[in-house]
Amino acid sequence: MRHIAIIGSGPAGYYTAEAAQKLWGDDVQVDIFDMLPVPYGLIRFGVAPDHQSIKGVSRRYEKTALNENVRFIGNVKVGEHVTVPELMQLYDAVILATGAPNDRELDLPGKDLSNIFDSAAFVGWYNGHPQFNDLNPDLSGQHAVVIGMGNVALDVARILSKTEAEFEGADIVTYALQSLIASNVKAITILGRRGPHQIMMTPKELGELAALERASPRVDRDDLPEEEEDMLLEPGLRKSVNHLRSFAAIPESVHAEKPIEIHFDMFASPQGFEGDGKVQRVKVERTEVHQGRATGTGEMYTVPADIVVSCIGYRSSPIPDVPFDERAGKFANDEGRILRGIYCVGWARRGPSGTIGTNRPDGYSVVEKIAEDIDAGTLGRADKKGREGFDAIAAERGLDVVTFRDWKKIEEAEERAAREGAPREKFVDVEAMIRAKN
Ligand code: NAP
């Protein structure tokens, strides 16, 4: 029997468990650890609450989770309740699937003014992450600035724009929904330091902006390059740029029908924040882009901002005793191998890029590497204690482990508490989750 520990129960974790199960069948036992009592990581706390079809992928993970030889071990923090070296003693392979939960920092003057948030916090707030349930963003002002030209910036701009009716069927937590219903935001500026040909936004997500009930996307025609230059772009990006072109062609009369404006301000690099305790403006430098690189022109201006959300990408969290690549913000690894017996997968391996599905081949590939290492004899004999060994540690330390069966109880309680039309009302603190399973 081979024993595998996967740290993190998001997409990368479950695809890896699925791959191990497919390869070794009954000859493997997989334990999936999560610091929270609830599984699915990014699916629950990152994917936007109005993107329920994407969240549906958790049904596939549940199939894996319900296999006898796969266990969910929730409410256990690796690095605190149990260490990586301890797990390495017990399991043949320890795989870090911990994602990239921390934001890349936007270290600019004025960053400590209030009502400036990073995307992990803001997204975590509307998705009911226990760490951010008390964020309480102030949405009483008219101007919001979203920094970054990726899909997270789009999620944030869209969530700030939607009406109550447009949240029907979404699992946005009720406190966030109420706060958004009462919001006064009328102008959302998406700041991008480069131009239309360098956006990271994908076509489907960008296209959604055109269908919003009360918000209209606005792009300055002058920011768009000559149309024939689009031919050089890869097809996905070309489609996204087409959306920007169609936004630029929206007539003023149509903009005027919608009370909220989503303005793409490109070639605009944030330089600092100004305000009196609370943010009021973002200081911006106009840029020029040559061969994909932005350089400042020296032209400065300000954009009004009563709230700022910085969506400029993520970093993994280091774990004690595990080599970390500080510059790249991910574990130092060679195709998923970190050290003998320790691997990484998903965003922890390659950084925060790609879609949820990108993690599937990633999971399968790390399992192949483990199989190669087993064949080469580098992981030693199959005589580790695995889950039995962990259970002894959990009992000795009095850990309140949440199993998959416990999670199903939590899930049922969340479904029972749902508002009309919503799939669930999430528990937003760990104590409430634990109470629901007891
Ligand atoms: P991202 O796609 O890497 O975009 C980050 C953006 O931040 C880029 O436009 C980048 O501009 C900008 N940026 C970085 N540093 C900056 C700085 N110092 N000043 C100003 N701008 C800066 O990251 P993301 O939006 O966080 O998304 C992460 C991953 O999740 C992506 O793979 C994304 O597709 C995925 N995701 C997917 C969905 C979906 O499919 N529905 C939803 C959300 C997220 P430069 O290019 O100039 O560096």
Side-chain angles (χ1 to χ4, degrees), residues 32 50 184 198 226 265 337 416:
I32 305 182
D50 57 341
N184 281 327
Q198 288 84 30
E226 294 299 325
D265 190 356
R337 290 182 175 103
R416 278 198 301 276

Side-chain angles (χ1 to χ4, degrees), residues 149-152 155 193-194 200 205 311-312 314 347 353-354:
M149 292 259 177
N151 282 332
V152 173
D155 280 348
R193 60 182 172 181
R194 299 194 289 160
M200 303 296 282
E205 285 64 29
C311 308
I312 63 165
Y314 295 101
W347 282 8
S353 63

Side-chain angles (χ1 to χ4, degrees), residues 42 46-48 51 54 104-106 108 119 147-155 158 191-194 198-202 204-205 208 268-270 292 294 311-314 347 352-356:
L42 186 85
V47 172
H51 280 172
I54 301 181
R104 289 180 59 198
E105 205 192 340
L106 195 58
L108 297 178
S119 55
I147 299 174
M149 292 259 177
N151 282 332
V152 173
L154 276 181
D155 280 348
R158 191 181 69 255
L191 282 184
R193 60 182 172 181
R194 299 194 289 160
Q198 288 84 30
I199 58 170
M200 303 296 282
M201 297 161 167
T202 46
K204 184 176 155 287
E205 285 64 29
E208 282 178 68
S269 172
C311 308
I312 63 165
Y314 295 101
W347 282 8
S353 63
T355 63
I356 301 228

